[in-house]
Amino acid sequence: MTAAGDSPATPVVELRSISKRFGDVLANEGVNLSLWGGEVHGVLGENGAGKTTLMRILYGLSIPDGGEIYVDGDLAHFASPKDAIGAGIGMVTQHFALVRPMTVTENIILGRTGGAILDLDRAKDLVEEAADRYGLHVEPDRRLSDLSVGEQQRVEILKALYRECRVLILDEPTAVLTPQEIRALFATLDRLRASGMAIVFISHKLPEVMELTDRVTVLRHGKVVHTVETDEVDAAGLASWMVGRPAAPPEPRTHSEPGATALEVSDLSAVGGLDLPALSDVNFEVAAGEILGVAGVSGNGQTELAEVLSGMRKPTAGSIIADGTQIAGKGPKQVIAAGVGRIPEDRHEALVGDMSVANNLILEHLDEAGKRLILDRDRIRANALDLIERFSIKAGPDDLVKTLSGGNIQKVLLARVLVREPRVIVVSQPTRGLDIGATAYVRNELLAMRRQGAAIVLMSEDLDELLELSDRLIVLYDGRIAGRVDAAEADRDQLGLLMAGHTEVA
Amino acid sequence: MIFLLDILTATLRNATPLVFGVVGETYTERAGILNLGIEGTMYAGAFFGFAATAVTGSLELGILAAIVVGVASGAVMGLFSVTLGTSQHVAGIGLTLGLIGISEFINRLYFGSSEGLRRIESYQLLEPFGPDNIFNQYALTYIAFLVVAPLGWWVLRSTSFGLGIRAVGENPEAADAAGLSVSLYRYAALMIGSALAAVGGAFITLATLGTFTLGIIAGRGWVVIALVIFGRWRIWRGVFGALVFAGVFSLQLRLRILPGWDAVPFELLLALPYLVVIAALAISGRNVEYPGAYLKPYRRD
Ligand SMILES: Nc1ncnc2c1ncn2[C@@H]1O[C@H](COP(=O)(O)OP(=O)(O)O)[C@@H](O)[C@H]1O
Ligand SMILES: [Mg+2]
């Protein structure tokens, strides 16, 4: 690690004209990037801009088609992460690369055990020492599968530090954290920066980049748009570089008077994947013309709640009255018939990728698509053309769904659900992985349904999205409602505490 | 009492090839590979071990030949399932069919005379000891229980190599990102595992039978696969399973010749140990946690 105060004449790492192609997609094209000791370098770009690809190349996980990597001014070749680690590079990948059944210590020392025979006691001491030095609290003996996402991230950072990295890459580290955890992460990164480390901070959240970074590189369609000192730009400027045009201001949320209760959930309990309790005694109501946001760190019952509300999972207790009909324990077909529409978390699971757009659009309405067993092709096609037009889906009726972009796939789903004008809509992570344009479209569509009097339950891991769209919020923690907040009065810190399980502040 | 001691002695002997197989297959499966080639590897180990001894007269060279064949068949399995990313089921079944075919072909060429089975000077039982001489076994049996199983357990648990094996089998992305070579560990696990399985096969020709006959492995490789799952990828539980299977197997062999039992069709008795394995799997096999990367080839991009 270089000492702070040194002003090195060469960057620690320099990437020169890096290119990488996947099939028809140029994920990186002629990318130049230099990283200096003691700086936090933001890499900003929309989904699909090529940020992850670039960092995987720097970490040896991906071999570039062209370009060079220089470490301390010398040309380097990274055939695998082993080489990159040897050059002092560490990476916290977006989906953590941790072995869940193993302990914190085992994960940290993996690949750097310092001898043929494991000395776990000594390793534990080393891990604790590193944890103390960097203020990253972990419990060395716990299994990874028992840790929260924030704790897992600390383990990942420690893993890189344990390997004595001089360059630390963090790929969208804040996407899964509560506001408090984000603050703790930033404090850690400040300390590491002060110690002379070069840090790459990948994000598509502008306020974070503005707050934390010293310099920013903006990527669009695999190319560098600009690299600037963070002080010299503002968020609006960065946004327009990201999307390639001035960013449209979000449509203001109009005030609407909620109507009668359209969804009433009482004493709802359900079990999750391994027969563990996933929801306990959940109570809430949603009025017509209202959006109820469901906040929480992922894995606290949101998935199960969405499944139970849409008939995909049977509750163990409780009642769900949608538009006057009891739907608890009913199957998806009856739930749809009761006027509930579902936009699930996993788009690919809800659509058949190998089937055409037209066929996917009638999947939930097969009864209307033809008399008895024979499908009426002309009607299916007419239906598709109509919906493609209304929801501005950029695809033809015969295109296979798997060839569509994420945004258009989401529009197909929206179209299929919204065309039935459901009274109740259960929607999970509606904009995850979408670009700015598609995100705005989807959000406006949800607001339009609200204006038309639908009762909407919105689950999202994106707190900004929840605050922007919801009228009221509930926070799930460990399958229970940890708090209820009016969106207009919601404060991010309070929400963060609730998400971390501190019920008493409510 | 004599009857029980006799069954105990036979149990340890019959469990020996299974213990070699279980320890070996546990290694490959903990590394994320279901090696269905094990039936063929045990078969080839039995045959080439026998053949080498028959030609050279040396039992040690027979064991060495089995180890070499085992390592080679592990490498072939690695070529398909690790390097080429072929389905592990297809690669394993293919390997088993291929190894059995090659063994039988060479057997017919060199040992297929009409004068009956070619016999070798096989391993002798060690000096019996213990109360009523219950410990009346081959050296390889002691090696299986007192060296291979404990050492295998210790290496997997307490060495860097074992940690690496477990990591590539649970989450190869994580192992890769930590700087380990996933393929290297998987090849190593396959070679070690297959060498052990081959020695297990050779035990039958070089110790218990002293000759090679067609169909000699008789599904022991498949039993090993079941025992590893029954043992939930823990070596000692797998060894325990091997003892149970071998115990029932030895019991039914003796029941067949016991007066009063001739009314029971011997096919039923023969099926008994396999039924026990199926029952044990059905009871213990629910909700088992497979190694995270079981059956999954690893590719970076
Ligand atoms: N392994 C891969 N195979 C095919 N295409 C890929 C692969 N990885 C990334 N891509 C494509 O490359 C582009 C850049 O992706 P990525 O680097 O993940 O972007 P970002 O991290 O900025 O969201 C995207 O269009 C993505 O679909
Ligand atoms: Mg990414």
Side-chain angles (χ1 to χ4, degrees):
Chain A
M1 207 177 293
T2 52
D6 269 6
S7 59
T10 47
V12 190
V13 164
E14 194 180 351
L15 298 172
R16 284 195 206 152
S17 18
I18 297 288
S19 296
K20 177 79 184 178
R21 175 185 283 281
F22 293 109
D24 291 337
V25 180
L26 258 173
N28 287 153
E29 191 178 354
V31 174
N32 294 312
L33 184 76
S34 52
L35 306 172
W36 297 82
E39 77 163 345
V40 177
H41 194 124
V43 174
L44 188 65
E46 289 208 73
N47 277 302
K51 308 181 293 289
T52 297
T53 302
L54 186 66
M55 292 307 139
R56 284 173 61 87
I57 289 171
L58 177 53
Y59 194 55
L61 279 167
S62 191
I63 309 298
D65 299 331
E68 294 107 46
I69 301 175
Y70 293 84
V71 178
D72 296 324
D74 299 325
L75 185 61
H77 288 284
F78 296 161
S80 78
K82 196 175 174 175
D83 301 336
I85 292 168
I89 295 165
M91 177 162 175
V92 178
T93 48
Q94 193 168 358
H95 302 286
F96 298 145
L98 296 166
V99 187
R100 292 176 58 80
M102 289 187 181
T103 65
V104 170
T105 303
E106 286 175 320
N107 267 283
I108 290 175
I109 64 171
L110 182 65
R112 195 173 198 276
T113 43
I117 296 172
L118 293 176
D119 184 349
L120 285 179
D121 289 331
R122 205 180 76 91
K124 217 159 71 184
D125 291 343
L126 288 175
V127 167
E128 269 172 343
E129 189 192 303
D132 283 346
R133 180 151 21 109
Y134 301 108
L136 289 161
H137 177 70
V138 293
E139 292 167 70
D141 287 328
R142 295 204 41 208
R143 276 178 170 228
L144 256 290
S145 46
D146 297 335
L147 300 189
S148 73
V149 181
E151 289 168 306
Q152 293 183 28
Q153 187 178 66
R154 290 203 288 276
V155 175
E156 278 279 38
I157 295 174
L158 269 178
K159 209 168 99 185
L161 297 177
Y162 186 77
R163 288 161 170 70
E164 287 160 11
C165 65
R166 300 177 296 151
V167 177
L168 178 63
I169 305 163
L170 299 138
D171 195 351
E172 308 224 9
T174 59
V176 290
L177 301 183
T178 65
Q180 280 79 7
E181 287 173 323
I182 292 176
R183 197 148 319 136
L185 172 68
F186 282 15
T188 304
L189 297 183
D190 274 335
R191 251 197 308 275
L192 293 174
R193 163 167 51 195
S195 76
M197 190 171 291
I199 297 169
V200 180
F201 179 82
I202 298 183
S203 180
H204 57 240
K205 294 186 186 165
L206 293 164
E208 292 175 355
V209 172
M210 292 301 298
E211 179 187 338
L212 181 72
T213 63
D214 303 298
R215 290 197 298 153
V216 198
T217 293
V218 180
L219 285 180
R220 186 171 75 236
H221 299 319
K223 284 188 243 178
V224 173
V225 184
H226 285 292
T227 296
V228 289
E229 304 276 327
T230 311
D231 292 344
E232 292 166 8
V233 281
D234 59 11
L238 289 176
S240 64
W241 287 342
M242 265 168 76
V243 295
R245 59 188 138 75
E251 205 168 290
R253 187 177 55 173
T254 54
H255 187 77
S256 79
E257 271 314 306
T261 299
L263 177 70
E264 193 178 345
V265 171
S266 340
D267 304 323
L268 190 68
S269 297
V271 291
L274 290 165
D275 282 355
L276 300 171
L279 291 174
S280 322
D281 294 324
V282 170
N283 289 285
F284 62 83
E285 292 177 358
V286 191
E290 187 184 40
I291 298 182
L292 176 77
V294 180
V297 177
S298 72
N300 278 289
Q302 297 94 317
T303 309
E304 289 81 1
L305 179 60
E307 286 173 355
V308 169
L309 291 180
S310 50
M312 307 290 287
R313 178 183 290 275
K314 285 214 186 329
T316 48
S319 105
I320 307 169
I321 296 173
D323 208 20
T325 314
Q326 174 65 253
I327 57 165
K330 299 269 166 47
K333 195 175 161 147
Q334 289 146 298
V335 170
I336 291 172
V340 179
R342 170 183 185 236
I343 299 165
E345 188 172 330
D346 184 352
R347 277 160 226 151
H348 302 276
E349 168 214 326
L351 295 171
V352 185
D354 283 313
M355 260 166 49
S356 69
V357 169
N359 283 341
N360 269 287
L361 281 170
I362 52 116
L363 258 192
E364 278 185 358
H365 326 247
L366 279 178
D367 41 348
E368 294 151 28
K371 300 164 220 89
R372 294 184 210 98
L373 290 173
I374 297 155
L375 295 175
D376 181 341
R377 295 194 177 281
D378 293 334
R379 268 183 62 187
I380 292 173
R381 211 184 151 75
N383 172 62
L385 287 171
D386 175 37
L387 292 179
I388 285 172
E389 161 97 33
R390 266 166 66 192
F391 288 86
S392 43
I393 301 169
K394 291 197 194 69
D398 300 322
D399 291 346
L400 298 186
V401 160
K402 68 176 179 193
T403 62
L404 272 53
S405 74
N408 282 307
I409 289 179
Q410 188 68 316
K411 285 181 185 174
V412 171
L413 250 176
L414 275 177
R416 188 172 85 186
V417 173
L418 300 188
V419 70
R420 304 190 69 122
E421 295 177 357
R423 306 298 307 145
V424 175
I425 301 173
V426 180
V427 48
S428 303
Q429 319 299 347
T431 60
R432 181 150 79 192
L434 302 189
D435 61 32
I436 292 186
T439 298
Y441 181 91
V442 169
R443 289 182 182 167
N444 287 335
E445 205 62 37
L446 289 175
L447 289 173
M449 289 310 289
R450 169 177 169 273
R451 274 195 303 278
Q452 288 164 30
I456 301 177
V457 181
L458 168 68
M459 337 250 163
S460 179
E461 277 161 30
D462 183 344
L463 216 45
D464 297 318
E465 173 165 276
L466 285 174
L467 290 170
E468 184 185 325
L469 297 179
S470 312
D471 299 289
R472 284 186 300 125
L473 288 165
I474 57 174
V475 182
L476 280 184
Y477 177 78
D478 203 15
R480 294 170 192 278
I481 296 186
R484 300 165 196 268
V485 189
D486 214 341
E489 296 153 16
D491 133 30
R492 303 177 60 92
D493 287 335
Q494 182 200 6
L495 282 174
L497 287 171
L498 291 170
M499 285 161 69
H502 300 267
T503 25
E504 63 275 14
V505 281
Chain B
M1 192 59 192
I2 297 296
F3 179 71
L4 278 183
L5 289 180
D6 178 41
I7 286 183
L8 187 67
T9 307
T11 297
L12 290 174
R13 185 173 64 243
N14 287 321
T16 302
L18 300 176
V19 169
F20 277 104
V22 161
V23 175
E25 182 71 15
T26 301
Y27 268 72
T28 56
E29 294 199 17
R30 285 302 280 272
I33 294 169
L34 170 66
N35 182 12
L36 294 179
I38 187 174
E39 174 81 8
T41 301
M42 289 181 82
Y43 201 91
F47 171 69
F48 285 100
F50 160 78
T53 302
V55 172
T56 65
S58 157
L59 287 160
E60 282 65 40
L61 286 179
I63 295 289
L64 186 68
I67 291 175
V68 169
V69 165
V71 168
S73 73
V76 172
M77 183 68 191
L79 176 68
F80 283 102
S81 65
V82 178
T83 305
L84 301 176
T86 317
S87 142
Q88 292 176 14
H89 294 108
V90 174
I93 300 275
L95 186 62
T96 285
L97 294 176
L99 287 172
I100 292 179
I102 289 170
S103 303
E104 293 190 347
F105 176 69
I106 298 178
N107 179 52
R108 188 158 309 165
L109 274 189
Y110 292 99
F111 306 103
S113 71
S114 51
E115 301 151 27
L117 293 174
R118 169 88 173 262
R119 301 201 67 87
I120 52 166
E121 199 65 44
S122 62
Y123 278 113
Q124 297 302 303
L125 294 164
L126 296 189
E127 198 67 23
F129 65 95
D132 289 303
N133 285 342
I134 53 165
F135 293 107
N136 186 15
Q137 304 288 355
Y138 298 100
L140 279 172
T141 299
Y142 296 115
I143 290 175
F145 283 95
L146 301 179
V147 180
V148 170
L151 192 66
W153 169 79
W154 179 80
V155 167
L156 203 51
R157 197 192 69 127
S158 304
T159 67
S160 301
F161 176 69
L163 185 70
I165 295 270
R166 289 184 276 138
V168 300
E170 283 294 342
N171 187 346
E173 288 82 8
D176 191 12
L180 299 183
S181 164
V182 176
S183 10
L184 205 68
Y185 275 90
R186 290 192 161 171
Y187 266 98
L190 274 169
M191 288 175 174
I192 292 171
S194 301
L196 287 172
V199 172
F203 173 79
I204 300 170
T205 46
L206 300 185
T208 49
L209 283 189
T211 187
F212 176 82
T213 60
L214 297 185
I216 192 167
I217 297 303
R220 282 184 182 83
W222 310 134
V223 170
V224 164
I225 302 265
L227 292 175
V228 170
I229 296 171
F230 166 78
R232 303 189 177 190
W233 300 275
R234 301 288 186 283
I235 284 179
W236 287 116
R237 276 196 262 187
V239 168
F240 172 72
L243 284 170
V244 172
F245 179 87
V248 179
F249 184 83
S250 311
L251 178 70
Q252 60 88 20
L253 276 183
R254 273 143 193 83
L255 286 183
R256 277 197 239 168
I257 51 169
L258 224 61
W261 283 82
D262 35 10
V264 182
F266 89 94
E267 290 90 346
L268 196 65
L269 289 173
L270 194 63
L272 196 61
Y274 299 90
L275 292 176
V276 169
V277 169
I278 291 170
L281 270 184
I283 295 163
S284 73
R286 298 181 62 233
N287 294 328
V288 296
E289 280 199 36
Y290 286 76
Y294 204 55
L295 300 177
K296 294 194 194 106
Y298 177 62
R299 279 285 134 87
R300 265 200 203 131
D301 276 334

